[in-house]
């Protein structure tokens, strides 16, 4: 069950990265920073908690793996837009990777929190889709406005 949850979370993370990649030309630096921070933090928190529950007594390994996952996801999702977004994503991944294994080690019944974080991740994914749609709309409006200005010039 825990392994299937980690596969599900990995698929959601990959879907978010691919969606960002598909729309990267229409995203501003700030949009990229937000997406990289969210993906770095949510992937390291969600997967880190699952890894800690799976490894039970090895807090050090769970923390290292969670930080590495968050850093990689934050770097990749941010690098699609800008280096600034990439750095922000890496740092959010580090923060999430530090917190989630400690939280998992303190809980006696972590399954409720794991499910809650799964739903939170899906909600965040939906918010990212809305953010990208909003950024795309702003990009198209700006392009149309620029086209109007250039066509009206003699």
């Amino acid at each position: 069950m825990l392994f299937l949850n980690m596969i599900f979370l990995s698929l959601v993370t990959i879907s978010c990265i691919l969606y960002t990649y598909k729309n990267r030309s229409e995203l501003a630096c700030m949009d990229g920073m937000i997406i990289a921070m969210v993906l770095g933090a949510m992937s390291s928190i969600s997967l880190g908690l699952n890894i800690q529950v799976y490894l039970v007594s090895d807090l050090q390994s769970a923390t290292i793996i969670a930080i590495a996952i968050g850093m990689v996801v934050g770097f990749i999702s941010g690098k699609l837009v800008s280096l600034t977004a990439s750095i922000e994503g890496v740092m959010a991944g580090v923060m999430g990777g530090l917190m989630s294994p400690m939280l998992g080690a303190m809980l006696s019944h972590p399954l409720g929190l794991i499910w809650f974080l799964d739903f939170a991740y899906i909600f965040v994914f939906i918010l990212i889709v809305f953010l990208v749609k909003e950024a795309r709309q702003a990009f198209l409006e700006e392009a149309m406005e620029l086209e109007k200005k250039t066509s009206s010039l003699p």
Side-chain angles (χ1 to χ4, degrees), residues 138-153:
F139 178 80
L140 292 174
E141 287 174 4
E142 188 176 300
M144 285 175 35
E145 187 176 305
L146 184 63
E147 185 179 314
K148 284 181 185 178
K149 285 182 181 179
T150 57
S151 65
S152 65
L153 292 175

Side-chain angles (χ1 to χ4, degrees), residues 36-54:
M37 285 177 60
V38 165
L39 290 180
M42 286 304 292
S43 64
S44 63
I45 289 172
S46 299
L47 287 167
L49 182 61
N50 281 281
I51 291 167
Q52 173 56 37
V53 171
Y54 186 73

Side-chain angles (χ1 to χ4, degrees), residues 51-52 55-67 97 101:
I51 291 167
Q52 173 56 37
L55 295 178
V56 182
S57 62
D58 195 0
L59 183 61
Q60 178 180 353
S61 295
T63 303
I64 291 170
I65 293 169
I67 289 172

Side-chain angles (χ1 to χ4, degrees), residues 7-73:
I7 290 174
F8 167 74
L9 291 170
S10 299
L11 290 175
V12 170
T13 302
I14 291 168
S15 299
C16 283
I17 291 171
L18 291 175
Y19 187 70
T20 304
Y21 176 76
K22 179 183 170 192
N23 297 291
R24 70 188 182 280
S25 63
E26 299 161 351
L27 295 173
C29 184
M30 185 59 73
D31 298 328
M33 286 175 59
I34 292 168
I35 292 170
M37 285 177 60
V38 165
L39 290 180
M42 286 304 292
S43 64
S44 63
I45 289 172
S46 299
L47 287 167
L49 182 61
N50 281 281
I51 291 167
Q52 173 56 37
V53 171
Y54 186 73
L55 295 178
V56 182
S57 62
D58 195 0
L59 183 61
Q60 178 180 353
S61 295
T63 303
I64 291 170
I65 293 169
I67 289 172
I69 288 170
M71 287 176 71
V72 168
V73 170

